[in-house]
Amino acid sequence: MKMFLSKKAACNTHGQDSSYFLGWEEYEKNPYDKVHNPNGIIQMGLAENQLSFDILESWLANNPNAAGFKKDDGTSVFRELALFQDYHGLPAFKKALVEFMSEIRGNKVTFDQNKIVLTAGATSANETLMFCLANPGEAFLLPTPYYPGFDRDLKWRTGVEIVPIHCSSSNGFKVTQSALEQAYKDAEQQNLRVKGVLVTNPSNPLGTTMTRSELNLLVNFITEKGIHLISDEIYSGTVFNSPDFVSVMEVLKDRKSSCEVQNRVHIVYSLSKDLGLPGFRVGAIYSNDQMVVSAATKMSSFGLISSQTQYLLAAMLSDKKFTKSYIKENQKRLGQRYRKLVSGLEKAGISCLKSNAGLYGWVDMRRLLSSKTLEAEMEIWKKIVYEVKLNISPGSSCHCSEPGWFRVCFANMSEETLNIALERIKGFVESMAPQSQHQRTKTSYKKSLTKWVFRLSQSDGAREPEER
């Protein structure tokens, strides 16, 4: 008997056919294991932070009551937690979370726990904001390159459209006034009503923080257009080098922006990257608009954080000695690992965009392309996945308009595994050298031939200039 699905279930807007997800599928078929499958695919397409688990595990070992759902006096709170189902969340956890968010931002801004909505991860937070701020068929502008999962998170169930703000490597992929205006114009030409701009700061996949100038530009733009700004700041605690992270909330504070503007700026946060806890599914929306907070809180009932998770993390994040030490050490380790990635790639003749945050590098392999096309990028990507056995994310999956860029993650593996991955990349680049030399020779020959034909044509005075 044939089964029929709803249009929503059967539609193909999930983005599962993206090379970003296809790379994961190949990895899952043949995952690398040092002992059991040393020739398998190494996962470098997953932005997980596994560098500081030992610090978290040490805290758990030293605080058995929190992990055992007990109060400091040893009294069990298991029954209370098992029955708690208020979608507003545990007050102790919300208080600890907003204080942790402030600490990450150098306490330059503070957050009100009554303006935060708890969600099952940042995926849920971003989708909930789409439901709150836009109708099906309306649009949000996103700077490219952007996280491939946004095609799923923002569009699939909401019916909201994404219009790219095309950014260029010529200025480090920074957002410009002209790019913003062009994207807005593109949306209008598609008969799409623009409801807002969404940015990731620090950027995924670039690994860079937005400058104060860029943030002011964005606030000016959304003020002029009367639209929203969502700042996804889930990597805010991963900044390992200067310049320091600047939250859009800090910019609003310094500008002394009106309440009307502040109400149209919203923050998405999560503990998946900063604490390395994606499996705990802890996300949050922060908004000054009480109507957004109220609507998002109601919607959060479809994706709550378990009360047990909230209880444990409330205790952890309330330990100020721990959070201060963790943030400092985690950022130090991320910086060391990033420098190791960059150094290894440089030995292979590959460069990266200069980054100061995140769990990945934005790697420039343009010189390895046979041509400046998407097809050439995919050709390289397939070789890296199937032959070199590394799952990395091609720039096209992030909607980068310049072929040849790749996102390469470095924090979801041991240093030993990273060394193996870098050796594989080095071997791959060396194997490409004869091909690259052949391509350069071929190009040089074409240029010489073109010059020869041009000189020959100049000697023919009967030709019109347009025919040369």
Side-chain angles (χ1 to χ4, degrees), residues 329-397:
E329 181 61 23
N330 182 57
Q331 291 173 340
K332 175 184 174 184
R333 294 182 184 186
L334 287 172
Q336 291 172 339
R337 183 58 67 86
Y338 169 74
R339 288 188 287 275
K340 185 169 188 61
L341 173 74
V342 171
S343 174
L345 291 172
E346 285 178 346
K347 291 176 182 177
I350 299 295
S351 62
C352 293
L353 181 73
K354 186 176 181 181
S355 303
N356 66 319
L359 312 175
Y360 35 73
W362 188 238
V363 180
D364 184 359
M365 297 193 191
R366 288 176 294 178
R367 74 176 186 83
L368 299 180
L369 300 185
S370 58
S371 61
K372 296 179 181 180
T373 62
L374 171 61
E375 290 75 19
E377 177 181 280
M378 295 309 294
E379 180 184 343
I380 289 287
W381 176 73
K382 288 176 182 177
K383 286 182 179 179
I384 293 174
V385 172
Y386 293 103
E387 298 176 20
V388 187
K389 302 294 180 64
L390 300 175
N391 176 37
I392 64 176
S393 305
S396 54
S397 71

Side-chain angles (χ1 to χ4, degrees), residues 54-65 67:
D54 60 309
I55 305 175
L56 300 175
E57 290 168 338
S58 177
W59 186 91
L60 290 171
N62 293 327
N63 295 270
N65 282 345

Side-chain angles (χ1 to χ4, degrees), residues 187-199:
E188 289 183 322
Q189 290 175 344
Q190 298 174 53
N191 294 318
L192 296 173
R193 182 186 180 192
V194 176
K195 295 304 294 290
V197 179
L198 186 150
V199 298

Side-chain angles (χ1 to χ4, degrees), residues 33-77:
D33 183 90
K34 177 183 176 182
V35 176
H36 301 292
N37 192 21
N39 295 319
I41 296 175
I42 295 175
Q43 175 63 290
M44 304 187 85
L46 180 60
E48 280 184 351
N49 182 5
Q50 299 182 19
L51 301 187
S52 299
F53 274 160
D54 60 309
I55 305 175
L56 300 175
E57 290 168 338
S58 177
W59 186 91
L60 290 171
N62 293 327
N63 295 270
N65 282 345
F69 309 124
K70 296 178 180 179
K71 296 180 181 179
D72 290 339
D73 62 5
T75 306
S76 175
V77 292

